[in-house]
Amino acid sequence: MKFRSLLILLIIGLALVPVYYLNRWLQGVMRPRESAGRFFLFLFSNFILIVVYTVLIVGLMVRLFGR
């Protein structure tokens, strides 16, 4: 049980690395500090990114470890 928990934490930790770089790329492309419209578009795109990435990671966990 402890190994399974550590493996889940490791997968979540490794899954955060691509999201970090994707967020940095979005900041460079959208430049949210320049205007309010860009800022709100940046917030909306990050919200969508969080929802999609959470669904993918949970789906991966369910496939790997089952119920």
Side-chain angles (χ1 to χ4, degrees):
M1 187 65 143
K2 189 155 182 127
F3 177 72
R4 182 177 170 185
S5 299
L6 288 174
L7 187 60
I8 289 172
L9 282 175
L10 179 69
I11 291 172
I12 291 171
L14 289 175
L16 289 175
V17 173
V19 171
Y20 172 76
Y21 287 110
L22 184 59
N23 187 34
R24 284 185 56 178
W25 178 76
L26 280 174
Q27 284 179 1
V29 169
M30 292 185 170
R31 299 185 308 272
R33 295 180 184 198
E34 290 185 5
S35 70
R38 288 179 185 224
F39 175 69
F40 286 116
L41 180 63
F42 178 73
L43 284 179
F44 180 71
S45 64
N46 273 321
F47 175 73
I48 297 298
L49 176 67
I50 289 169
V51 170
V52 168
Y53 213 69
T54 301
V55 168
L56 289 174
I57 296 302
V58 169
L60 177 70
M61 295 294 170
V62 168
R63 274 188 182 252
L64 286 178
F65 301 110
R67 284 192 135 210

